Each structure stands twice: as structure tokens, then as C-alpha cells.
Amino acid sequence: MKPAAFDYHRPTDVVAALALLDAHGADGKVLAGGQSLVAAMNFRLARPGVLIDVNRIAELDYLRVEGGHLRVGALTRHAAFHRPVVDGPLGTLLSRVVEHVAHYPIRQRGTFAGSLAHADPASEWCLTATVLDAEISVRSLRGARSIPASAFFKGTFTTALEPDELITEIRLPLLDAGWRGGFSEFSRRAGDFALAMALAVLRVESGVIRAARLGIGGVADRAIRLHAVEAALVGREATESIFRAAGAEASRAVEPSADIHASSEYRRDLIAAMVARALAEAAA
Amino acid sequence: MNDRLAITLNVNGQSYPVTVEPRKSLADALREDCGLTGTHLGCEHGVCGACTVIVDGRPVRSCLMFAVQAEGLAVCTVEGLAEGEALHPLQRHFWEQHGLQCGFCTPGFLMLAAGAFEADPTIDEAEMIDVLSSNLCRCTGYQNIAKAVSLALQDMRAGV
Ligand SMILES: Cc1cc2nc3c(=O)[nH]c(=O)nc-3n(C[C@H](O)[C@H](O)[C@H](O)COP(=O)(O)OP(=O)(O)OC[C@H]3O[C@@H](n4cnc5c(N)ncnc54)[C@H](O)[C@@H]3O)c2cc1C
Ligand code: FES
Ligand code: FES
């Protein structure tokens, strides 16, 4: 298999990359880890005329804690999260989630930012960004803006990014020691895309849920934040039966997608199970 | 568009000056331009792992990387694993444990395990088994592959 021919550029700073994006418009594509884009190009599902390889832009390669946020530079690979990147619940949760993102060699190349830009409905990082209220910094020659995750994802493989925009950073709010995270995913084989998954973060005090954030992925055209289920959990006791009830409520809150991998009914059952398990893990 | 680029690939410590189209995968360049046909291609979309090589100390899919992207980086392929006639511990244990049948997937598994160990020499057995789930074998079955890698891991830790 051969991708269609393209022109190749390898800028070494952000401004040069933005100039290239500006010059080539919709025909120009950012090449980050290439773990989604190159596969699509090999199938000729994508045939960009120009590739702008950002892998040598050192200023995008960082991961640091600052101002209450974990700041994830656009070149941060999935594998960077294998070990907790920050003390406390956030680092632990991210290291839990990353095990489910593709396979080990793919995690060595694929990037956090590339996952968000690609916006696969079954992306673990898109679900993480949605549940944790990530902020996505983007730049173009026209200027810079910051997009909340809630406004970033528009549908399957579709985001609020303009063709000339580059994601430069993702900011995840830190979770203080009172929070606990839980994640559950079902896929047929290790490393496959999720048929359904759930991510929960809870603040439990003396056995009572004081705050909750919850979302599901792999079941619709984008990750879904379950605000109503979150609200119903607050003030309740952190018990198995409450978690199972929340799972049932979550499964009724959406009309799950159907494809060759799973029917809508099956996904509905999976949602109930994944939500209950993610909540139980967060409360453990 | 589509101009061929003259680059130098550094593979197994040796320089290979090659002229490639930007769209040429690292896997194809290794096989066709460097003559290193130990790297195999199965699916060409990241799923099977037959094409796994080590780039700058990390195992990666060489079907999902363009050759031009490897310019200036250190590439290691299965041809670089043995030291002369002395097999690498992974190769030795694959042989002894019957970790291969047709051998199509073998270079990928060897580079996967070698690369995971190089990236993290403290990797434990459970983590290594999870790493092995990255690649597909269609005939041996995974038991002997896992056994071979576990034994090799002990030798690699001990440095024999
Ligand atoms: C076998 C296999 C299994 C996989 N399984 C999973 C899985 O279970 N879960 C999962 O989430 N993913 C999975 N993936 C996809 C993988 O996580 C990709 O790494 C990820 O989707 C894209 O990140 P990337 O850096 O590789 O981006 P690329 O492939 O380089 O790019 C993807 C898209 O994002 C754009 N883009 C990238 N970076 C930027 C940026 N900074 N600014 C603007 N646009 C940008 C590109 O132009 C392109 O359109 C799998 C991939 C493979 C091959
Ligand atoms: S050929 Fe590269 S992963 Fe299958
Ligand atoms: S030995 Fe034949 S595919 Fe693995």
C-alpha cells in the first residue's frame, strides 16, 4: 500500500508550522504521531497534498504542572503517561487510562494532542478531556485561542479546529487529594478501540459522595458528559447499589450507536456495566 | 510535488544514503533501499506489528512512519540484534522454546520485546506480557512466544 504523493515539510518552530498551515489551507495536514493519519493515508482514505511534520518542534515537547493545571505540550506522546506524571489522583488516573490507548509501540509515537484533533468517538483521551474539563490551546497566524473541551468536539472525526490552526497545548485541571478516579473499558481484544467505556471522578467524604464527574465514550459520535447522573449522585452514599442505579440511568440517557462490532442494545448494557465499575473504582 | 529526497538513514549503526519519495514508509525504505528484508510488512496500518523496529530506543511501527522522518534518528532492525554469530538472548530463547513456526511475525516480536526492554530495563514480566499483546502471530500461538520472552528477560536483566 502506498499513500498518495504529498509534499513534506519539517518545521522546527511553531511560527514556521503556522506559516505552512496558512499557506496550504485545507490541503495541508499536521503530521504528529501519524498513528491515525498515516494509517488513513495508506488506505487512501486521507490524501493530503502537503504534510507538515511537527515532530521536530522542540517547543511543543513538554509536560509540566503550573497554575493548578497539568500542561500537556502538543508533542507529548501517549507513552509519557505510563508512569504517573504528577503526584495525586490525576497522574494515577491518566496512567490507568493510557493502558487502554492502542498498543505499546503505537503509544511511543501517538500524541495526546493528535488524539484530540483526530476526535475518534472511542478515544480515551477525548473522554478524559471531556470529563476533566480540559482547555485546548490553539494557534494560527491569525492569533491564539483557548477552547474548552465542551465546545471542541463536534462529532465523529470533527472538531472546532480551523484548517490553519495548530493545537499547541492541552491543560488539565489538577485534582486535589480528595478526588479519586475510576476508569472502565470494554473491547474485544487488548488495545482495540472501546465498544464502551466510562470515566468517573468522585469526591467521597465519610462514605457520602460530595462531588462527581462522569462521562462515557465509544457509544456515540463523541464522548458524552453525564451531567444529570452526576447531579443525582451528589449527596448519596457511595455504595454498589447506587453505582448500579447510576449505570442504569446512564444507559437510558443516550441512544447508543450500532456498528459491525456491537448493536445498540449491547452497547446499552455495556454502558450500565462500565459506569457502575468506573464509579466503584473511584470510590474504592 | 513528490520530489525524491536524498537522506541518510542510520540503521544498526551503519549509514545508508538513500533517495526516497516522502510517501515511502520507513519499512519499505529498509527493505527496498537498504536491502534489509528482515523487517516484514503484514497489514500496513499499525495492527499486526510485523514491521516493528526500534527508533531512538523505542519500538515503533515502521509502516506508520515515513522514511524521511527517520533522518538523523538511530534505527535498529532485526539484522542488528545478533552480535556476529552470537544470538541475542531473545533470538536464542525463541529458538529454544519454539517461539516461531513460519517466522513471519518473529522479527516484529523480537524488536518489540528488545525495544520495550531498552526503553525500560526495569520492565517486569506482567508489563512485558502486556507489551506482547501489541503484535499478532497467526501460527505459533502466544504461549511459546511469551515463554521465550520471559526467559530472555531474565537473561537480559542478568546481562548474559
Ligand atoms: C492499531 C491501532 C490501534 C489504536 N487504538 C486506539 C485506541 O484504542 N484508542 C485511541 O484513542 N486511539 C487509538 N489509536 C490511534 C492513536 O491513539 C493515535 O495516536 C491518535 O488517534 C492520533 O494521534 P497522532 O499523534 O498519532 O496523530 P496523527 O495521526 O499524526 O494525526 C491525526 C489527526 O490529527 C491532526 N493533528 C495531530 N496533531 C495536531 C495538532 N497539534 N494540531 C492540529 N491538528 C493535529 C492531524 O492533522 C490528523 O488529522 C490506534 C491506532 C492504531 C494504529
Ligand atoms: S505492517 Fe506495520 S503494523 Fe502491520
Ligand atoms: S510464526 Fe507464523 S505468524 Fe507467527
Side-chain angles (χ1 to χ4, degrees), chain A residues 143-155:
Chain A
R145 62 185 180 126
S146 177
I147 311 169
S150 58
F152 185 79
F153 300 107
K154 299 291 190 191

Side-chain angles (χ1 to χ4, degrees), chain A residues 34 36 38 71 79 85 100-101 113 131 135 149 158 171-172 182 216:
Chain A
S36 292
V38 179
R71 299 180 58 180
V85 292
H100 295 267
V101 181
V131 173
E135 287 274 334
T158 314
R171 280 183 309 286
L172 294 168
I216 51 180

